[in-house]
Amino acid sequence: MRLRVAVAVAATTVVGAGAAALVAGRYVSGLALKPSVAGPPPESLIAVREADGDRVVLTRTTAAARHGVYGLTGVGVHATVGPVLEQDPYSVTRALRRVQQGALRKGDFVRMTPQAYCGDPGSAFGLDYSDVEVPGELGPLPAWYLPGDRSTWVITVHGLGATREHALNAVPVLHRFRFQQLVLGYRNDPGAPASPDGLDHLGDTEWQDLDAAMRFAADHGARRIVLYGWSTGATMALWALARSAVRDRVGGLVLDSPVLDWRSLVQAAVTTRGLPAALRPLAVRAAEGRAGLAAARHPEAATAAVPPDPTVPTLVVHGPDDAFADWQDSRALADRHPELIAFHPVPDAPHAAMWNADPKGYEEALRRFLTPLM
């Protein structure tokens, strides 16, 4: 509601319709470009009714009743919850797998999040890892390096509105496959340098940080690289494959909930927050100007907002319930390259929560895809 009021105030207090449109467009474009607010809107708050041992009882909401493995996050607390055990019209009882931070107490308010774990690979899973710095264009980039027996490295990169802790969902299965892993933090992340304008460019410049990670891996013995990205991290992977000087090392891509057209993401940032659809073109134009993105208004640049198709074996994981990145774009991409792209659909999963909705099915799809690349 505060967002709607802010936009209305901006549009009615500035003299002139043109100036009002400029202010409104700039404001709503920030929902996609400002790292502090970008990404899907947070889930609604959920009250904790009981938390005892291996069970937690939550007030029933759509999110609370969602099947799968998710994080519960609140002030000073982060927990991992598993399947729904019981439910009635007023409450949902879920398996409580662990509390990594703080304590869950009756009366607490929490949110569901695709980030099922917090901390680092050591505190989350007891895995051996090292903090490393990747030399980036803007300065050192923080990353976790996990050793493995294979000469193939998997570089994971999170998406809009998340941090590298989101990639912890995939760390254990990649460790079981004995890959070397580099979990990258990039510009505007905690501990990483800020972009010059303080904005996210939806992969258009961030890919250079992934390129730096690819060169780091190549310099440290990676004979083959798999790029694994969520959301705009998947966009970064596609741009890096097309532009990196070490792209010949890339043997495969994993694209989870990929953003394949930044314009649709900017529009979704408006509509998923309940703002008027009339603001969507304003947001796209403002984002184009503020972040120097492709000239979406000009017909000759109609495809410039779309990253190039992959040229290596690719696994795309996406689902029809993603309200933030258009899954039809993913289906169309897979249909264009059936010989190159494996498409794994996941129903009943919000944006970047494909693993959460079905961990076993997701990890089996990963296993089948990654086995030839080991």
Side-chain angles (χ1 to χ4, degrees):
M1 182 61 69
R2 287 197 299 268
L3 287 171
R4 300 179 193 180
V5 171
V7 173
V9 169
T12 56
T13 58
V14 177
V15 177
L22 181 64
V23 171
R26 183 177 179 85
Y27 180 83
V28 294
S29 69
L31 301 177
L33 300 179
K34 289 186 178 180
S36 59
V37 297
E43 300 274 15
S44 59
L45 286 170
I46 305 167
V48 177
R49 292 189 165 199
E50 294 180 38
D52 182 21
D54 58 359
R55 298 160 68 93
V56 59
V57 182
L58 306 170
T59 297
R60 185 184 176 92
T61 67
T62 299
R66 190 176 288 135
H67 291 278
V69 178
Y70 287 86
L72 285 184
T73 183
V75 178
V77 64
H78 191 284
T80 306
V81 293
V84 173
L85 304 175
E86 300 174 19
Q87 54 183 312
D88 60 38
Y90 308 103
S91 66
V92 176
T93 302
R94 303 188 70 111
L96 179 59
R97 293 193 167 179
R98 65 170 75 179
V99 180
Q100 284 187 267
Q101 186 179 81
L104 275 178
R105 299 183 179 89
K106 181 178 181 179
D108 285 349
F109 285 92
V110 292
R111 285 188 168 94
M112 296 276 284
T113 171
Q115 182 192 311
Y117 308 100
C118 68
D120 54 52
S123 62
F125 309 114
L127 297 179
D128 182 28
Y129 83 101
S130 301
D131 287 302
V132 298
E133 288 188 341
V134 173
E137 176 193 36
L138 302 179
L141 304 170
W144 296 317
Y145 167 73
L146 289 88
D149 296 334
R150 305 188 187 281
S151 60
T152 298
W153 287 45
V154 179
I155 303 177
T156 50
V157 58
H158 68 83
L160 197 64
T163 69
R164 57 183 164 147
E165 288 179 298
H166 186 198
L168 290 172
N169 292 355
V171 162
V173 65
L174 295 174
H175 178 73
R176 291 200 302 272
F177 297 156
R178 297 185 288 133
F179 288 111
Q180 298 185 66
Q181 298 182 57
L182 193 65
V183 183
L184 182 67
Y186 55 91
R187 61 190 68 190
N188 297 315
D189 275 357
S195 59
D197 57 9
L199 299 176
D200 192 288
H201 291 231
L202 309 181
D204 193 52
T205 57
E206 290 80 8
W207 75 269
Q208 296 174 73
D209 293 346
L210 182 52
D211 171 54
M214 294 161 63
R215 288 185 276 111
F216 179 93
D219 290 344
H220 287 80
R223 298 180 63 183
R224 178 183 284 162
I225 296 171
V226 175
L227 302 179
Y228 185 160
W230 290 261
S231 184
T232 52
T235 315
M236 292 165 59
L238 287 167
W239 284 122
L241 176 64
R243 296 170 171 172
S244 172
V246 293
R247 60 184 177 273
D248 60 319
R249 300 285 181 105
V250 178
L253 302 179
V254 179
L255 309 179
D256 184 317
S257 311
V259 173
L260 299 178
D261 186 332
W262 66 260
R263 295 165 299 194
S264 64
L265 181 143
V266 173
Q267 292 167 353
V270 174
T271 56
T272 56
R273 287 169 169 82
L275 295 171
L279 293 174
R280 291 185 299 185
L282 296 178
V284 168
R285 293 186 182 186
E288 177 191 350
R290 297 178 72 188
L293 294 166
R297 285 174 290 166
H298 304 296
E300 65 272 18
T303 61
V306 180
D309 288 0
T311 54
V312 298
T314 299
L315 173 64
V316 177
V317 189
H318 210 164
D321 298 290
D322 186 339
F324 205 71
D326 190 345
W327 99 299
Q328 295 293 351
D329 289 342
S330 293
R331 290 193 61 175
L333 176 66
D335 289 344
R336 287 197 300 273
H337 305 282
E339 76 294 343
L340 197 64
I341 298 176
F343 185 64
H344 181 71
V346 182
D348 303 320
H351 183 64
M354 304 300 124
W355 175 88
N356 306 83
D358 181 19
K360 289 184 179 179
Y362 187 104
E363 292 178 8
E364 175 59 18
L366 269 182
R367 185 195 65 78
R368 292 197 306 267
F369 174 74
L370 291 173
T371 295
L373 302 177
M374 292 180 179

